[in-house]
Amino acid sequence: EVDLCVAADLAEMAKVWLGDITFEHALRSGKVQLTGSRELAQAFPAWLMLSHFAAVPRPERLAVPA
């Protein structure tokens, strides 16, 4: 029996893994869908092992001075 099913666009999950977008953004876009108990769905993002470089700022993520 499946406890949690993850249906995801591979490119969107790669963006999450790299830190380009948040998992919450991927869910809102509809390109990632979780089916199963609410408890497991809420815990799922903590199970992802993001790239060690996900937290490294990249030029396109830096704020532009006003």
Side-chain angles (χ1 to χ4, degrees), residues 22-52:
T22 64
F23 186 76
E24 292 75 22
H25 180 271
L27 281 175
R28 285 194 308 272
S29 75
K31 293 182 180 179
V32 174
Q33 299 173 345
L34 300 177
T35 306
S37 77
R38 171 177 255 156
E39 183 179 279
L40 292 177
Q42 288 176 339
F44 181 75
W47 302 343
L48 297 175
M49 297 180 73
L50 299 181
S51 163
H52 293 292

Side-chain angles (χ1 to χ4, degrees), residues 1-2 5-6 12 15-16 21 28 32 35 37 41 45 50 65:
E1 185 175 320
V2 176
C5 179
V6 180
E12 200 75 358
K15 290 177 188 176
V16 171
I21 62 171
R28 285 194 308 272
V32 174
T35 306
S37 77
L50 299 181

